[in-house]
Amino acid sequence: MTAYLATGILWKEMFFSYGTKILYQNTEALQSKFFSPLQKAMLPPNSFQGKVAFITGGGTGLGKGMTTLLSSLGAQCVIASRKMDVLKATAEQISSQTGNKVHAIQCDVRDPDMVQNTVSELIKVAGHPNIVINNAAGNFISPTERLSPNAWKTITDIVLNGTAFVTLEIGKQLIKAQKGAAFLSITTIYAETGSGFVVPSASAK
């Protein structure tokens, strides 16, 4: 414990010896001077060969990044979101980059009927998924007192209900086919404690 505390104190002294402005001005983490960022996947090539991955919100941001990595490791990916033009562009970009097929299916996860149709299409074009990532999300960066009932409902419908609809529908199909899959639902650090300006998201997560 003493060694741990001493190490912590030493680290703080090293960090703040640069002055507090480092917290605002330096975009590179201090540790990157000693440990260069890893630029490749930490898994062996073809780790997901023969696997099917379904990613909601797969057209942009985190969803696009996860799809790119899974595809580069051999997975056949199916991405879904509301904007078909964005999905198609992302699917083509990732396919050309990795050499693996990426399917795009339009889906609003807030609509259970649309989710049901999407899952049917998913199974039709790629088979039952081995990996399901509930990544679709939304947020209004707003003081809580300014939120309208519709704003609250929109975020909750996407983040909470959408995750439930996708998980339940795929789960039913997997049970019927006597297959299993790994499910990942994206959360956030403020889900446990709440935070200003993101209350609907924190509650739904």
Side-chain angles (χ1 to χ4, degrees):
M1 177 64 86
T2 303
Y4 176 79
L5 291 172
T7 303
I9 292 167
L10 178 61
W11 171 251
K12 287 181 181 178
E13 288 177 354
M14 286 173 56
F15 187 83
F16 287 108
S17 65
Y18 289 87
T20 55
K21 288 185 178 180
I22 190 175
L23 298 175
Y24 307 99
Q25 295 180 346
N26 189 358
T27 57
E28 292 184 6
L30 186 62
Q31 61 267 30
S32 68
K33 293 183 179 180
F34 307 101
F35 305 102
S36 58
L38 192 65
Q39 299 294 333
K40 61 180 183 178
M42 296 176 68
L43 293 169
N46 301 318
S47 291
F48 290 96
Q49 191 70 39
K51 304 295 184 183
V52 174
F54 178 66
I55 304 98
T56 64
T60 60
L62 284 173
K64 182 178 180 179
M66 289 184 284
T67 302
T68 303
L69 182 60
L70 286 165
S71 181
S72 72
L73 292 171
Q76 181 181 183
C77 295
V78 181
I79 55 176
S81 74
R82 289 175 295 164
K83 298 180 179 178
M84 194 60 181
D85 56 336
V86 174
L87 281 175
K88 283 184 175 179
T90 296
E92 289 172 7
Q93 180 187 349
I94 295 173
S95 289
S96 64
Q97 182 181 329
T98 66
N100 292 318
K101 180 66 177 175
V102 178
H103 305 274
I105 304 176
Q106 188 174 26
C107 180
D108 185 342
V109 296
R110 296 174 293 181
D111 182 343
D113 292 332
M114 201 169 186
V115 169
Q116 186 176 31
N117 292 335
T118 297
V119 172
S120 295
E121 184 68 14
L122 156 68
I123 294 170
K124 181 180 176 181
V125 300
H128 289 81
N130 306 100
I131 303 141
V132 179
I133 302 180
N134 287 303
N135 171 69
N139 210 346
F140 291 111
I141 307 301
S142 168
T144 310
E145 67 272 17
R146 294 184 192 170
L147 288 167
S148 68
N150 188 57
W152 180 277
K153 184 176 185 302
T154 298
I155 303 308
T156 305
D157 276 349
I158 297 170
V159 178
L160 176 60
N161 296 337
T163 295
F165 295 154
V166 170
T167 300
L168 288 168
E169 186 57 38
I170 292 179
K172 290 173 187 176
Q173 297 303 322
L174 289 170
I175 290 169
K176 191 184 297 183
Q178 296 187 332
K179 293 183 177 181
F183 285 76
L184 172 65
S185 297
I186 306 300
T187 187
T188 179
I189 57 172
Y190 56 67
E192 198 170 302
T193 58
S195 181
F197 296 90
V198 290
V199 169
S201 173
S203 300
K205 292 284 190 184

